[in-house]
């Protein structure tokens, strides 16, 4: 009902729960419109309260608190309360709060269209077929606080969700416990606990998410600048993901989401699935991905450029701790990645990445699993620096793919086991098409300590004919078998290969290479080797080959240059002793 003055308002009859709007100037209030909620007769002390003609009282509503029980009796979870709940929501205007007063409302669908409103202090439940979500929000700056929700997935064959923000700005879900839910039926895009679709500035913080079967607990769909932080998210029934970001509507662009300081446990696939640009994943504890990865970048082919994965603890993943599936300009830094089956970090179709300052340990299943596996199928560039690799079943770093430039510097490796792989600490294998294998690889200032079964630092084969390989300035100690370095003779050999200024351990340094043509050369110069052990270079078969073996100091014994050349080749083998 609309009235023009307070005096006119007092002349009419009302029902409890009815909303009265005053228009214009009135003596007992401020200039302009005001909004009142009709309540049962009782004493009021607040400004703006007016006794109406039938003895009820109108309470100034704007910025006030509406109690759900004003609109009727709630079933308490025994029958549907959607109509009553919707009436209460419809009574909200700018600045109002709806206090559920600890009640339990059974809902199918409720629509919140008002701006700047809050719903708090109660429980919402879905026991029956739910076509959509319990709370569907289109208003801006809607806050949901201290709520509990429960979706009974076993009671319905229709897919369902709990909260969806659609085309909203600045919504909040905080201090809530959200439980249940299952992805079934055909309407899968809303089968989640909290979804922000085509929205910006949605904050989901300090909540408990529990037992969502086969759904994403939080889905950020074609949205921007959302924050998912300080939540506890777990599911004994195997949720798909704790957080998934996607661009289904292709409008999200550079999403700039922040996923920080969450604790996430027990997921069927990836714990965090990122298919949008500019996402910062920071300070999370991610544990147990039953089938796939901890963090998966670019899972569906939509890509995940300009993302960061920093300061997280990632454990217990059947796949990789971090999978850079289709990422560009990615930074993976300062993470602890441990007890993962396939790899600490894995790449596929990732164009460029900086991987730095991570501690990657206890990686692998029965006989496989790499600390870092670069298996990209597109031309890529990597900087791998200041990482620590420890207790790896497979290789410390394995490179298979179209890596154009790869710099590996200042890393520490210990307890690396080949576990059935053909490599060692820095394997460079040729399992993909030879035309897309690495071109430039630099291993510099790395420290390699100990091993279980292998003694090889580099295993090389089937590479680009114009590849440049440099293994320099490394410390290679405590190798338990016969050789420090190993270069396989299979495949096309590099344009140049430099092995120089490495600090060798007690075992001999062995370099094995086959040079196939052109002006290719192998240079092996290890002047820092102490104590002296025999450096050996074999399988050199090219008229233009150049072999240099240089040791600055040594004790008792001799060193050997061994060269097997073609019968028609006139060789001059020369060395100096200083």
């Amino acid at each position: 009902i609309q009235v023009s003055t307070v005096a006119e308002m007092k002349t009419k009859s009302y029902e409890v729960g009815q909303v009265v709007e005053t228009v214009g100037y009135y003596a007992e209030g401020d200039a302009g419109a005001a909004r009142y909620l009709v309540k049962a007769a009782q004493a009021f002390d607040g400004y703006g309260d007016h006794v109406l003609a039938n003895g009820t009282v109108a309470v100034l509503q704007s910025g006030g608190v509406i109690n759900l029980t004003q609109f009727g009796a709630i079933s308490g979870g025994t029958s549907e309360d959607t109509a009553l709940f919707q009436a209460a929501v419809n009574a909200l205007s700018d600045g109002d709060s709806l206090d559920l007063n600890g009640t339990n409302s059974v809902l199918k669908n409720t629509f919140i269209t008002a701006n700047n409103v809050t719903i708090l202090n109660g429980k919402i439940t879905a026991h029956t077929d739910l076509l959509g979500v319990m709370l569907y929000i289109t208003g801006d700056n809607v806050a949901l606080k201290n709520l509990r929700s429960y979706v009974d997935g076993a009671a319905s064959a229709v897919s369902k969700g709990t909260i969806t923000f659609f085309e909203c700005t600045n919504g909040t879900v905080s201090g809530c416990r959200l439980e249940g839910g299952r992805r079934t039926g055909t309407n899968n895009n809303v089968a989640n606990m909290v979804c922000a679709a085509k929205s910006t500035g949605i904050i989901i913080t300090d909540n408990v998410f529990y037992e969502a079967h086969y759904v994403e607990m939080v889905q950020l769909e074609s949205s921007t600048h959302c924050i998912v932080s300080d939540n506890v998210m777990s599911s004994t029934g195997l949720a798909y993901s704790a957080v998934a970001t996607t661009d289904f509507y292709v409008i999200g662009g550079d999403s700039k989401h922040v996923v920080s300081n969450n604790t996430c446990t027990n997921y069927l696939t990836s714990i965090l699935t990122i298919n949008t640009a500019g996402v910062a994943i920071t300070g999370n504890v991610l544990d147990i991905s039953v089938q796939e990865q901890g963090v998966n970048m670019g899972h569906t082919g939509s890509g995940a450029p300009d993302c960061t994965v920093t300061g997280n603890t990632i454990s217990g993943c059947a796949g990789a701790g971090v999978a850079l599936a289709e990422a560009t300009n990615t930074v993976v830094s300062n993470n602890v990645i441990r007890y993962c089956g396939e790899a600490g970090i894995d790449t596929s179709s990732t164009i460029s990445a900086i991987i730095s300052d991570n501690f990657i340990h206890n990686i692998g299943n029965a006989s496989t699993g790499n600390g870092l596996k670069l298996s990209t199928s597109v031309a890529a560039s990597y900087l791998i620096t200041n990482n620590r690799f420890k207790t790896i079943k497979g290789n410390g770093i394995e490179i298979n793919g179209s890596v154009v430039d790869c710099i590996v510097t200042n890393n520490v490796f210990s307890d690396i086991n080949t576990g059935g792989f053909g490599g060692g600490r820095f394997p460079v294998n040729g399992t993909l098409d030879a035309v897309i294998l690495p071109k430039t690889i630099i291993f510099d200032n790395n420290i390699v300590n100990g091993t279980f079964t292998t003694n090889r630092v580099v295993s090389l084969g089937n590479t680009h004919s114009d590849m440049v390989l440099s293994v320099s300035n490394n410390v290679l100690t405590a190798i338990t078998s016969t050789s420090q370095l190993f270069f396989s003779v299979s495949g096309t050999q590099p344009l140049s290969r430099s092995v120089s200024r490495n600090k060798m351990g007690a075992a001999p340094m062995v370099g094995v290479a086959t040079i196939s043509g052109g002006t290719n050369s192998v240079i092996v110069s290890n002047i820092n080797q102490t104590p002296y052990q025999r450096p050996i270079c074999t399988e050199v078969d090219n008229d233009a080959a150049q072999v240099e073996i240089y040791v600055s100091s040594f004790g008792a014994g001799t060193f050997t240059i061994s060269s097997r050349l073609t019968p028609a080749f006139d060789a001059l083998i020369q060395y100096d002793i200083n």
Side-chain angles (χ1 to χ4, degrees), residues 312-325:
N312 305 281
T313 299
I314 304 172
S315 308
C317 300
V322 177
L324 306 180

Side-chain angles (χ1 to χ4, degrees), residues 119 189 261 303 389 404 481 493 524:
I119 298 178
N189 64 318
N261 301 314
F389 299 87
V404 175
S481 189
Q493 294 301 305
V524 180

Side-chain angles (χ1 to χ4, degrees), residues 80 218 475 550:
E80 188 184 338
V218 173
V475 177
Y550 178 68

Side-chain angles (χ1 to χ4, degrees), residues 198 219-224 244-255 257 274-277 300 302-303 305:
K198 293 185 174 182
Q219 182 176 1
L220 306 178
E221 173 58 71
S222 301
S223 295
T224 60
T245 74
T246 54
D247 269 338
F248 178 78
Y249 297 106
V250 199
I251 64 168
D254 193 3
S255 64
H257 300 312
I274 309 302
N275 294 312
T276 52
T300 62
S302 58

Side-chain angles (χ1 to χ4, degrees), residues 12-243:
K12 298 182 180 297
S13 295
Y14 306 92
E15 296 179 359
V16 173
Q18 192 166 8
V19 175
V20 182
E21 293 181 352
T22 61
V23 181
Y25 181 82
Y26 45 95
E28 297 176 75
D30 296 329
R35 187 179 175 94
Y36 293 84
L37 177 70
V38 177
K39 301 183 70 173
Q42 53 184 295
F44 288 93
D45 297 325
Y47 168 76
D49 302 341
H50 301 282
V51 178
L52 304 177
N54 60 354
T56 59
V57 176
V59 181
L60 187 63
Q61 180 186 344
S62 182
V65 178
I66 297 175
N67 197 305
L68 181 63
T69 57
Q70 298 168 203
F71 294 84
I74 301 298
S75 68
T78 59
S79 62
E80 188 184 338
D81 302 300
T82 302
L84 186 150
F85 196 98
Q86 185 68 66
V89 168
N90 291 344
L92 297 173
S93 63
D94 198 318
D96 290 343
S97 297
L98 175 61
D99 191 340
L100 304 186
N101 199 31
T103 57
N104 179 15
S105 303
V106 177
L107 304 179
K108 281 191 175 180
N109 309 103
T110 304
F111 300 89
I112 303 174
T113 60
N115 299 327
N116 305 310
V117 298
T118 301
I119 298 178
L120 70 165
N121 299 333
K123 182 178 180 180
I124 54 177
T125 303
H127 283 305
T128 58
D129 286 354
L130 178 64
L131 300 173
V133 293
M134 281 192 281
L135 299 180
Y136 190 85
I137 302 167
T138 57
D140 294 335
N141 197 30
V142 173
L144 307 175
K145 298 180 178 180
N146 302 320
L147 298 178
R148 181 171 180 177
S149 70
Y150 176 69
V151 176
D152 187 353
S156 172
V158 180
S159 66
K160 59 192 71 67
T162 304
I163 299 165
T164 290
F165 293 88
F166 185 73
E167 296 184 342
C168 300
T169 301
N170 299 336
T172 304
V173 180
S174 63
C176 298
R177 179 182 174 91
L178 301 100
E179 182 177 347
R182 182 178 61 181
R183 179 184 291 241
T184 57
T186 59
N187 193 20
N188 287 336
N189 64 318
V190 293
N192 44 61
M193 288 185 167
V194 179
C195 177
K198 293 185 174 182
S199 298
T200 187
I202 306 301
I203 299 175
I204 303 165
T205 184
D206 196 29
N207 303 287
V208 174
F209 292 81
Y210 180 65
E211 206 71 314
H213 293 201
Y214 296 91
V215 301
E216 290 79 19
M217 288 184 169
V218 173
Q219 182 176 1
L220 306 178
E221 173 58 71
S222 301
S223 295
T224 60
H225 294 90
C226 296
I227 297 175
V228 183
S229 67
D230 299 286
N231 301 285
V232 176
M233 315 172 86
S234 63
S235 180
T236 61
L238 300 178
Y240 274 171
S241 302
V243 180

Side-chain angles (χ1 to χ4, degrees), residues 382-554:
Y382 295 99
L383 172 62
I384 302 163
T385 182
N386 294 313
N387 301 284
R388 181 182 175 192
F389 299 87
K390 179 177 174 61
T391 313
I392 311 296
K393 283 287 188 179
N395 301 302
I397 298 176
E398 181 174 357
I399 304 175
N400 292 302
S402 186
V403 180
V404 175
D405 296 292
C406 183
I407 298 176
V408 183
T409 180
N410 292 316
N411 301 282
V412 177
F413 299 80
S414 60
D415 295 332
I416 310 297
N417 187 346
T418 55
F421 283 86
R425 278 80 163 195
F426 307 132
V428 183
N429 293 327
T431 60
L432 298 182
D433 189 337
V435 300
I436 63 170
L437 281 170
K439 287 188 175 182
T440 302
I441 300 178
I442 299 173
F443 298 115
D444 196 11
N445 296 312
N446 296 282
I447 300 175
V448 180
N449 294 315
T451 182
F452 291 138
T453 62
T454 184
N455 49 40
R456 287 168 288 181
V457 176
V458 176
S459 175
L460 181 66
N462 290 329
T463 63
H464 279 297
S465 60
D466 59 349
M467 178 180 174
V468 175
L469 172 66
S470 174
V471 182
S472 303
N473 300 302
N474 301 287
V475 177
L476 313 171
T477 60
I479 308 302
T480 59
S481 189
T482 58
S483 63
Q484 300 270 359
L485 304 178
F486 180 85
F487 304 128
S488 74
V489 299
S490 62
T492 303
Q493 294 301 305
L495 174 66
S496 65
R497 177 186 294 159
S498 176
V499 182
S500 61
R501 298 180 304 281
N502 296 287
K503 174 73 174 180
M504 313 305 290
M509 188 284 295
V510 178
V512 182
T514 298
I515 307 303
S516 58
T519 58
N520 298 338
S521 64
V522 175
I523 300 175
V524 180
S525 178
N526 294 288
I527 62 175
N528 296 322
Q529 183 183 13
T530 305
Y532 164 72
Q533 297 290 342
R534 292 185 304 169
I536 303 173
C537 184
T538 63
E539 298 293 335
V540 177
D541 190 3
N542 183 276
D543 287 0
Q546 174 187 351
V547 179
E548 174 192 347
I549 301 177
Y550 178 68
V551 179
S552 61
S553 63
F554 52 87

